[in-house]
Amino acid sequence: MNALLVVAHGSRRETSNEEVRKLCRRIEQEAAGEEFFLVRAGFLELAEPSIPEGIGQCVEAGADRVVVLPYFLSAGRHVSEDIPAEVEEARRLHPKASIVLAPYLGSAPGVSRLLVELAVGGKKNGDSAK
Amino acid sequence: MNALLVVAHGSRRETSNEEVRKLCRRIEQEAAGEEFFLVRAGFLELAEPSIPEGIGQCVEAGADRVVVLPYFLSAGRHVSEDIPAEVEEARRLHPKASIVLAPYLGSAPGVSRLLVELAVGGKKNGDSAK
């Protein structure tokens, strides 16, 4: 039973946090019954649940494996140090679960393709608006 | 002649800025001769070139259309106000060029698919590591 925890930085602007939660619900619908039975958001700071709390919720819901994916664009301190430290804490709290840290979003090879798709769409919108 | 300007926030950490420039070079290679003859990075603050400067460089290089794409994950003030204001300034500076603002990365429908691809890769890596 695999769960996915998408980890964002967290914002004082609650609509930004809600945007991440909404994305997780969309992934859950798209990935339902395939890769992940549960997809949740977790936050490094300023919003809840925290990363260990989010992992705990996945484990309580029946996950024996939780994939933690940093929803970050660059490999700064949050990605290289803070998130791994939180994942390590969660491993101590949930020794029976397998907790795996995935690469951060910005490192995905597919990001370039996605940007071009968006940019071409934007260009077309620009055309139609003129 | 279409150019693409990928706009990031900009960081005091120069390796983060360089990560965006590197991504732009990758997009340029992948999109070479197809959608965009030139792909450049621009920064809202803390790094160069600025958005109007980046657009200016594209126009000087021969672009008659520049697609500006916010490399941001959430629709905060930067995406909704600051970047459009900079684009507006660039339009005044370059009235002959068509300058189009594309949607921000986080709004791309394909983000969910990309996250699942990354997460599944992460899961497999976790498997092989155990």
Side-chain angles (χ1 to χ4, degrees):
Chain A
M1 294 276 277
N2 293 309
L4 173 62
L5 188 77
V6 176
V7 171
H9 183 278
S11 172
R12 285 187 184 80
R13 200 171 152 274
E14 185 51 30
T15 50
S16 291
N17 302 327
E18 195 49 47
E19 206 174 336
V20 182
R21 295 188 188 102
K22 197 173 164 184
L23 171 64
C24 289
R25 289 193 289 274
R26 207 173 84 215
I27 298 173
E28 194 174 81
Q29 288 169 349
E30 292 174 5
E34 291 181 35
E35 295 295 345
F36 302 103
F37 82 104
L38 186 70
V39 181
R40 285 289 178 272
F43 299 94
L44 193 57
E45 52 188 59
L46 302 169
E48 296 189 331
S50 70
I51 299 171
E53 283 168 357
I55 291 171
Q57 290 173 8
C58 292
V59 171
E60 281 162 30
D64 51 20
R65 160 166 286 164
V66 182
V67 178
V68 178
L69 195 155
Y71 191 57
F72 283 71
L73 291 176
S74 66
R77 188 173 45 84
H78 291 323
V79 165
S80 63
E81 297 176 28
D82 301 339
I83 295 176
E86 300 265 326
V87 165
E88 209 42 58
E89 186 193 331
R91 283 184 178 133
R92 280 194 297 272
L93 294 169
H94 307 284
K96 289 185 183 167
S98 169
I99 303 173
V100 180
L101 185 56
Y104 66 102
L105 173 60
S107 71
V111 164
S112 53
R113 178 195 61 202
L114 192 60
L115 289 172
V116 170
E117 284 173 13
L118 256 188
V120 170
K123 182 166 67 69
K124 282 178 185 157
N125 291 342
D127 283 339
S128 64
K130 296 224 163 189
Chain B
M1 293 278 276
N2 293 309
L4 173 61
L5 187 77
V6 176
V7 171
H9 183 277
S11 172
R12 284 186 185 82
R13 200 172 152 274
E14 186 51 30
T15 50
S16 292
N17 303 326
E18 196 47 47
E19 205 175 337
V20 181
R21 295 187 188 103
K22 196 172 165 185
L23 172 64
C24 290
R25 290 194 290 273
R26 206 173 84 214
I27 298 172
E28 197 175 78
Q29 289 169 346
E30 291 174 6
E34 291 181 34
E35 296 295 345
F36 303 101
F37 82 104
L38 187 69
V39 181
R40 285 289 177 272
F43 298 94
L44 193 56
E45 53 189 58
L46 302 170
E48 296 189 332
S50 70
I51 299 171
E53 284 168 356
I55 291 171
Q57 291 173 6
C58 292
V59 171
E60 281 161 30
D64 51 19
R65 161 165 285 161
V66 182
V67 179
V68 179
L69 195 156
Y71 191 57
F72 282 72
L73 290 176
S74 66
R77 187 173 46 82
H78 292 322
V79 165
S80 63
E81 296 175 29
D82 301 339
I83 295 175
E86 301 266 325
V87 166
E88 209 42 59
E89 185 192 332
R91 284 185 179 132
R92 280 194 299 271
L93 294 169
H94 308 283
K96 290 186 182 168
S98 170
I99 303 173
V100 180
L101 185 55
Y104 67 101
L105 172 60
S107 71
V111 164
S112 54
R113 179 195 60 203
L114 192 60
L115 289 173
V116 170
E117 283 173 13
L118 256 189
V120 169
K123 182 165 68 68
K124 282 178 187 157
N125 290 343
D127 283 339
S128 64
K130 298 226 162 191

